[in-house]
Amino acid sequence: FWVTEKLTSYASPFYGPIAFGTSDYSRLSEWPKGGVVGIHGTDQPYLIPGAISHGCIRVPDAPLLGLAALMPVGTPVRIS
């Protein structure tokens, strides 16, 4: 998979200070045909690690901001 979008002005407490969209889709999403697997922060760090997800990858906000400098659109992503 790869990073398809970088949402830098998306400052949501639930999703953190930045979010990335990937080329992967999850059928676990509340969206009718599934949703994009995102990489995002959280205002609920006790959920990391955890299986409570609709397919997204939660990252603590501080490391997520570090990733933002390293992950331009097109960066390969391995989900395992």
Side-chain angles (χ1 to χ4, degrees), residues 16-49:
I18 191 166
F20 300 91
T22 73
S23 60
D24 193 13
Y25 281 82
S26 171
R27 293 184 188 151
L28 300 174
S29 171
E30 62 274 2
W31 295 96
K33 294 184 180 179
V36 171
V37 171
I39 302 169
H40 60 77
T42 180
D43 64 348
Q44 301 171 18
Y46 56 85
L47 294 176
I48 302 171

Side-chain angles (χ1 to χ4, degrees), residues 3 6-8 17-20 39 59-73 75:
V3 174
K6 188 186 239 185
L7 304 167
T8 57
I18 191 166
F20 300 91
I39 302 169
V59 179
D61 289 349
L64 183 68
L65 290 171
L67 285 175
L70 303 172
M71 287 180 32
V73 170
T75 299

